[in-house]
Amino acid sequence: MKTPSENSIRLVRAEVLARTDLVGSELRATLTAVYDGWLAGLLPDIDGIALLAVGGLGRREPTPFGDLDLVLLHTGKVSGIRQVADDLWYPVWDAGVGLDHSVRTVDEAVSVAADDLKAILGMLDARHVAGDPALTGLLREQVISRWRRTAPSRLTELQELARSRWSTRGDASFLLEPDLKDCRGGLRDWVGLRALASAQLVDLSPAVVQASSVLLDVRGELHRIAGRASDVLRAEDRSAVAARLGVLAPSGEGDGDAVLRSINEAARTIAYATDAAWRRVAASNAPSGRASLFKLRRGRPSAIPGPAVRTPLAKDVVSQGGEVVLARDADPWADPVLMLRVARAAAEHDLPISGYALSRLATESAPMPEPWPAAARSEFIGLLGAGRRAVAALEALDQHGLMNRLIPEWEAVRFKAQHNPVHRFTVDRHLIETAVQASALASEVSRPDLLLMGALLHDIGKGHPGDHSVVGSQLARVIAARMGFSPHDTAIIAAQTRHHLLLPDTATRRDLDDPSTVQLVLAALQGSVEMLELLHYLTIADAAATGPAAWSDWKAALIRQLVNRTRAVLGGEELPRSEPLPAALEALAGSKVTRVLIDGSDIIVVAPDARGLLSRTSGLLALHSLDVQAADVRTIGQTAVNRFTVSPRFGQFPDVELLNADLRRILGGTLGLDDRLRAKEAVYESRSESPDGQKPVPRFLWFDDEATDATVLEVRTRDGIGLLHWVTAALEEAGLDIRSARISSLGSYVVDAFYVTDADGKPLNESRQADVTSTMAMALSR
């Protein structure tokens, strides 16, 4: 027998992957044929053996750089079977193709499947490649027969495997960088549904099959782009994958957002089908469950799985068989509020809504009157107030088109990608997650209903062009009025949407000791303590729903301080004065020494005041991998007392004596600060580049009326190890005095705000601002 060269498969595969006309199912079919032909040529022509493909190749779903899962079957009477196996496996290894392999008799394979759940799941997809087809047929018959007999006893283990994955990988329906394989709604769940179908427990709908194809298509192109096995679709790869799949934006470039949306939609379809399948499986194990299941699988939804006990939950809403169903006399057309009572009951009792009930609600419900009746508004707020348990109910409504019917503006944010690196979720899921977080804070405010509505709608404008806060407030006003909220409440809901970034942006980018800062907040609040309270807790809920990079103890403390200062002024109190320096620092400042101190998460630098001190101190912190979050710059007599709130990049503060020694060397000119910083930056340079490899252009924004006797400059750019040093050095070079600074990190981006005055101690005029902007742009373009 002529054995193909191990290099031939590598070359043939490379030729296949180079063909731009082969994508999706055509690419998978071609790879399957190539692998099958090559592997068949490796198998000797002797009796009593068969080569099977399992896993992805068995399903005819190979990825460009995925492993091959193969089983060499034999009768147990084949002489030299180990040598046959070696002659088969070694060419695969030599070709650089990943391999998962086993050599077994039929009885051995069935025995392994009996003990190993993952093994039997793989063998359910076993497909004959070469050799004796009777052996393959015998194995398939016995494996499938055993699986159908034993599946009910193994389903708990299968479900636990899935839940374990979901807990670590998250939900591909809403993530911005989903794992196509292991997330909830990913390809492993597709395999799980196939296993349930093999056990004759569920049917695979065309929608689910199509959804799996979407994930497989994207995964194949992701492998091609990476040149290796890769399952997580990163933001920087979306456009390239889209271009290869022919999903183009009007500009002609790949529409990465459209590809992400297709993944989110496909994953939601698979996840929803998985949840429904597990409910049916649970029902099949209940008394009389199998008969009911039989009817469900054949599209006869008049029979609900589980026992016949019906427990009332709300008007015309009952639970039966572990699901929320409609009462026998329920009439969705005559009762448009029914869908909301169903969803609220499902959330409050932590039960799924039956598919049949959802189908009836979707096809038979009358339009909601406008404005909504008070009962509808009450049920909707009650649904949002159910917290985490409301998510499944809201997803069910959305999956059947009912969310769009209730809130037509919702369609624009469904599966909408976010481009801010701190976000984890698509816009629609972020809004729901914010409402979940707000429900836990409802007791902190006097109007929980307004907080919940503000949470659900605060980013509703992201589905439209323009400033999402401005556009969103207009949409929120329309939505709230449609829902029947009073003019006063409608205005509050719209104002929350308009100003939901007011507190975090002000607290992290402005000097809280400057009286102008509180006046900025007061102008937006229009004297309303209620509005201040709602915005405070909306900010907390929004940050918690965004992701870990959006919140910290430092940020929470700044916002709390801003809220307390604003509340004091609203209550008629005088604005609290800045806290004086501790007596020990006052004494140290008077001694004219140079000293670095560590105070909790703060670094305090006391040194004789001189131009360049702030930039050099910033450089010291950068050298020691301390990320600056805020800076308070003070001068007492001829001594500067600068306090930096920092976060160690690698989790540990440096030794304070080392900091003191390095500061003395920097101030004395013996350390070579700029060269050391550039060398350190070079190590992290790849992390500071944008996805297309281009260096982002910084933005410089000037604010004339947001400080007392100073001008505020905001520098917005991608973060870098020595960024604060270069920025402050450029400001010092321009002859400006930096009164204070706020450093705000948003993932890999920063918004650094500096309170500056000119050399004469006055705010900068427009011409001077333009000159400084040019100086800054040149300094940061290096």
Side-chain angles (χ1 to χ4, degrees):
M1 181 191 70
K2 184 177 179 181
T3 302
S5 164
E6 57 267 13
N7 290 325
S8 66
I9 186 60
R10 193 181 304 173
L11 295 174
V12 172
R13 182 178 66 180
E15 290 172 1
V16 169
L17 297 181
R19 289 181 55 183
T20 57
D21 61 314
L22 289 178
V23 295
S25 60
E26 292 184 2
L27 174 63
R28 293 191 292 277
T30 303
L31 285 173
T32 298
V34 165
Y35 281 134
D36 282 3
W38 178 55
L39 293 168
L42 295 176
L43 193 71
D45 186 13
I46 59 177
D47 294 335
I49 62 172
L51 181 62
L52 282 68
V54 298
L57 186 58
R59 295 187 298 274
R60 300 183 186 274
E61 298 173 352
T63 52
F65 296 98
D67 291 352
L68 301 183
D69 295 336
L70 303 174
V71 178
L72 178 59
L73 277 184
H74 62 99
T75 60
K77 300 177 182 179
V78 178
S79 177
I81 188 64
R82 293 300 171 190
Q83 186 60 50
V84 172
D86 287 347
D87 291 343
L88 180 61
W89 308 144
Y90 274 98
V92 180
W93 288 323
D94 291 341
V97 177
L99 176 64
D100 188 355
H101 62 91
S102 60
V103 181
R104 309 196 191 283
T105 66
V106 171
D107 289 344
E108 289 170 343
V110 172
S111 177
V112 169
D115 298 328
D116 188 332
L117 179 61
K118 292 182 179 180
I120 198 170
L121 292 178
M123 283 187 234
L124 289 173
D125 296 316
R127 181 176 59 81
H128 183 73
V129 175
D132 184 354
L135 274 178
T136 303
L138 181 61
L139 176 66
R140 280 187 53 81
E141 178 184 351
Q142 293 193 25
V143 166
I144 292 175
S145 175
R146 175 177 285 274
W147 174 242
R148 289 176 179 172
R149 291 195 316 271
T150 63
S153 65
R154 310 194 70 172
L155 293 179
T156 299
E157 182 183 359
L158 178 59
Q159 193 172 27
E160 286 305 315
L161 284 175
R163 286 174 173 167
S164 176
R165 277 190 292 102
W166 300 343
S167 67
T168 57
R169 297 295 186 177
D171 192 332
S173 306
F174 307 103
L175 288 174
L176 298 176
E177 294 190 336
D179 186 320
L180 304 174
K181 185 176 180 181
D182 287 332
C183 271
R184 180 173 182 265
L187 289 167
R188 285 202 189 276
D189 286 343
W190 158 241
V191 173
L193 285 171
R194 286 175 60 98
L196 295 178
S198 293
Q200 298 182 324
L201 294 173
V202 298
D203 290 327
L204 295 176
S205 70
V208 171
V209 175
Q210 175 59 30
S212 71
S213 295
V214 170
L215 299 185
L216 288 166
D217 291 353
V218 173
R219 190 183 181 207
E221 297 312 310
L222 189 57
H223 276 223
R224 273 174 142 171
I225 291 169
R228 56 180 175 81
S230 180
D231 296 322
V232 178
L233 181 65
R234 303 292 182 191
E236 57 264 30
D237 294 326
R238 285 184 212 145
S239 295
V241 168
R244 288 178 176 269
L245 292 173
V247 182
L248 303 180
S251 64
E253 298 179 349
D255 191 341
D257 286 0
V259 162
L260 179 63
R261 180 185 180 110
S262 71
I263 292 170
N264 295 145
E265 288 181 324
R268 185 179 291 188
T269 297
I270 292 174
Y272 193 78
T274 299
D275 291 344
W278 284 116
R279 292 201 299 272
R280 294 181 181 184
V281 167
S284 72
N285 293 326
S288 304
R290 188 164 293 280
S292 297
L293 181 66
F294 180 88
K295 293 182 180 181
L296 268 173
R297 290 182 62 240
R298 283 150 181 77
R300 301 179 192 173
S302 57
I304 303 297
V309 176
R310 297 166 70 87
T311 304
L313 302 178
K315 179 186 175 185
D316 289 337
V317 183
V318 300
S319 67
Q320 180 176 341
E323 294 181 314
V324 174
V325 302
L326 303 183
R328 292 185 178 91
D329 297 330
D331 184 353
W333 182 259
D335 184 3
V337 183
L338 178 60
M339 71 171 73
L340 290 174
R341 288 204 305 276
V342 167
R344 180 179 180 180
E348 291 183 343
H349 294 274
D350 200 15
L351 292 172
I353 307 171
S354 82
Y356 180 53
L358 287 164
S359 296
R360 283 196 64 192
L361 292 170
T363 57
E364 300 177 25
S365 292
M368 187 71 73
E370 295 184 13
W372 287 15
R377 197 164 55 253
S378 176
E379 295 295 340
F380 190 68
I381 294 299
L383 170 60
L384 296 180
R388 178 61 56 191
R389 292 179 298 180
V391 173
L394 290 166
E395 282 185 19
L397 295 181
D398 183 75
Q399 192 74 7
H400 287 76
L402 296 172
M403 277 294 287
N404 288 348
R405 192 178 303 180
L406 292 168
I407 307 175
E409 296 81 1
W410 193 257
E411 176 60 31
V413 296
R414 285 186 81 237
F415 302 109
K416 180 75 174 176
Q418 309 241 36
H419 297 284
N420 189 315
V422 301
H423 275 283
R424 296 178 294 177
F425 299 122
T426 54
V427 177
D428 56 340
R429 182 54 180 263
H430 171 68
L431 292 175
I432 291 174
E433 287 288 331
T434 306
V436 169
Q437 298 295 333
S439 69
L441 301 169
S443 62
E444 302 290 339
V445 298
S446 60
R447 288 294 304 273
D449 55 335
L450 300 185
L451 176 63
L452 290 169
M453 286 301 301
L456 186 70
L457 300 179
H458 74 281
D459 275 348
I460 197 73
K462 285 188 174 179
H464 301 269
D467 185 328
H468 80 278
S469 297
V470 176
V471 176
S473 68
Q474 298 166 355
L475 295 173
R477 186 178 296 276
V478 171
I479 294 167
R482 184 192 303 129
M483 289 184 173
F485 284 94
S486 70
H488 171 269
D489 291 351
T490 295
I492 291 290
I493 292 169
Q496 286 183 87
T497 305
R498 176 65 183 89
H499 299 299
H500 70 275
L501 296 176
L502 174 68
L503 296 182
D505 283 357
T506 304
T508 58
R509 302 178 188 178
R510 294 296 179 266
D511 184 350
L512 300 187
D513 290 330
D514 190 319
S516 296
T517 300
V518 168
Q519 293 303 319
L520 283 174
V521 178
L522 290 173
L525 296 178
Q526 297 183 343
S528 172
V529 176
E530 177 184 55
M531 190 65 196
L532 176 64
E533 177 185 73
L534 289 169
L535 285 179
H536 185 196
Y537 289 102
L538 174 57
T539 298
I540 296 172
D542 185 15
T546 297
W551 198 243
S552 65
D553 292 342
W554 165 78
K555 191 170 187 177
L558 287 179
I559 292 171
R560 188 166 53 250
Q561 182 181 351
L562 175 60
V563 168
N564 290 339
R565 293 171 71 84
T566 305
R567 183 183 288 113
V569 174
L570 283 172
E573 302 176 21
E574 290 187 9
L575 189 67
R577 295 187 177 184
S578 303
E579 294 184 7
L581 287 176
L585 275 182
E586 289 271 12
L588 195 60
S591 66
K592 299 181 180 181
V593 300
T594 298
R595 184 74 56 83
V596 179
L597 307 170
I598 297 179
D599 180 19
S601 60
D602 289 356
I603 299 289
I604 302 171
V605 177
V606 180
D609 192 23
R611 185 174 300 279
L613 176 64
L614 182 57
S615 64
R616 292 170 184 169
T617 305
S618 302
L620 168 74
L621 301 179
L623 279 182
H624 288 275
S625 301
L626 296 171
D627 295 332
V628 179
Q629 297 174 325
D632 177 49
V633 181
R634 299 192 191 189
T635 302
I636 300 177
Q638 301 298 313
T639 302
V641 181
N642 298 337
R643 178 184 290 266
F644 301 87
T645 300
V646 301
S647 173
R649 182 167 294 223
F650 303 113
Q652 188 173 359
F653 276 88
D655 181 76
V656 68
E657 293 306 321
L658 180 60
L659 290 174
N660 275 285
D662 282 352
L663 179 60
R664 286 192 294 269
R665 293 172 62 197
I666 290 171
L667 295 179
T670 62
L671 185 64
L673 176 60
D674 287 3
D675 291 341
R676 291 276 297 273
L677 271 181
R678 289 192 179 96
K680 190 176 184 71
E681 286 176 329
V683 177
Y684 294 89
E685 187 172 356
S686 61
R687 302 183 189 181
S688 301
E689 290 180 351
S690 56
D692 59 3
Q694 300 298 313
K695 206 166 189 177
V697 178
R699 294 187 64 202
F700 306 97
L701 305 177
W702 295 90
F703 300 88
D704 295 320
D705 301 320
E706 297 191 7
T708 303
D709 299 328
T711 306
V712 178
L713 167 63
E714 281 191 5
V715 181
R716 302 180 182 181
T717 187
R718 188 175 286 270
D719 201 1
I721 288 290
L723 177 65
L724 184 59
H725 166 74
W726 304 117
V727 169
T728 51
L731 291 174
E732 291 163 350
E733 181 183 348
L736 301 187
D737 182 34
I738 303 172
R739 195 180 73 186
S740 63
R742 287 290 180 191
I743 314 302
S744 179
S745 298
L746 302 169
S748 58
Y749 290 85
V750 295
V751 179
D752 293 352
F754 301 91
Y755 284 64
V756 296
T757 59
D758 217 335
D760 58 4
K762 296 180 180 180
L764 280 66
N765 60 35
E766 188 172 334
S767 174
R768 188 76 171 99
Q769 291 173 14
D771 291 341
V772 174
T773 296
S774 298
T775 300
M776 298 289 293
M778 187 174 299
L780 297 186
S781 65
R782 55 182 179 76

